[in-house]
Amino acid sequence: MLDQYTQQQPYLLALDSIIFGFDGEMLKVLLVKRGVEERTWSLMGGWLRPDEGLEQAAARILFDLTRLTNVYLEQLYTFGDPHRDPIVRTISVAYFSLVRIADYETKISGEFQARWFSIYDLPTLLFDHGDMVELAIKRLRYKAAQHPIGLELLPDKFTIPQLKKLYDAIYNTEFDKRNFSRKILSTDLLIKLDEKQKGFSRRGAYYYQVDRCKYQAITNSFLNFIPNSELGL
């Protein structure tokens, strides 16, 4: 029986991380340039270590670039085309994560040449990393429509207009203000604060916070979280 193991061809197992962030206007993905090709960017990636599980390795790779922990991280897909890496047969397990850009900027790792790119204006990407990003965007749109995970991209306090901008950016569309506000507030996930955002309108917009207890309770439920959720799916 052991002969069956020794007769098999070994393969490399890599992990690639699609890291999404929101800067208040655009949905972006974090890419790195590590000297593979001068004009080519790539996702942050690494190899599975002998003493690691997949989730542990994905979290380590994310931390290596951002120095962030306890962020949203989800396995996306396994890419195994025999020709995806021209150097050696490599299977890649891709994960996507949602980070707050402000948090990232205060804990950036200086080891890599990293840069945020709009998901709608990407440079040339290494290997099949473009396919990974495209699939991650589709998954994010699906999940953001059914679950409140988009809130992971916002600061601790935010306004309804800021939240709408986020979902406009995710779906590359513009939702109706009244319908969006009514739908979001009907979820009863947000806590209205007494503080207003100053300087953007005469009256100002109230800040909200996520009710974390309710958020954790319904994260795995299907909510039809936003109006017209079929957009972008």
Side-chain angles (χ1 to χ4, degrees), residues 15-20 29-34 41-46 49 57-69 71 97 99-101 103-117:
L15 294 98
D16 287 293
S17 184
I18 303 104
I19 304 170
F20 290 118
V29 64
L30 188 60
L31 303 176
V32 295
K33 184 184 288 185
R34 293 181 290 179
W41 292 75
S42 76
L43 298 168
M44 181 63 185
R49 295 174 179 172
R60 171 181 54 81
I61 291 168
L62 178 63
F63 177 80
D64 284 345
L65 181 60
T66 68
R67 292 297 186 263
L68 296 175
T69 58
V71 300
S97 58
V99 307
R100 298 172 181 176
I101 289 181
D103 292 344
Y104 161 82
E105 289 175 342
T106 60
K107 300 181 181 181
I108 182 173
S109 170
E111 182 180 353
F112 306 98
Q113 183 181 348
R115 177 180 163 189
W116 290 101
F117 288 87

Side-chain angles (χ1 to χ4, degrees), residues 164-202:
K164 179 180 175 297
K165 277 190 175 183
L166 168 62
Y167 278 84
D168 287 348
I170 290 174
Y171 291 95
N172 196 27
T173 190
E174 186 167 349
F175 292 102
D176 179 80
K177 292 181 180 179
R178 291 184 179 180
N179 288 342
F180 183 87
S181 178
R182 182 168 55 250
K183 179 65 177 179
I184 293 298
L185 294 177
S186 70
T187 65
D188 201 28
L189 276 174
L190 305 183
I191 301 172
K192 187 177 181 179
L193 305 180
D194 292 333
E195 183 182 358
K196 282 187 174 183
Q197 183 187 43
K198 304 296 183 180
F200 289 89
S201 65
R202 182 179 302 178

Side-chain angles (χ1 to χ4, degrees), residues 119-135:
I119 63 170
Y120 303 111
D121 188 20
L122 295 175
T124 301
L125 295 179
L126 187 70
F127 302 153
D128 53 358
H129 290 190
D131 296 333
M132 294 181 182
V133 173
E134 183 179 353
L135 185 61

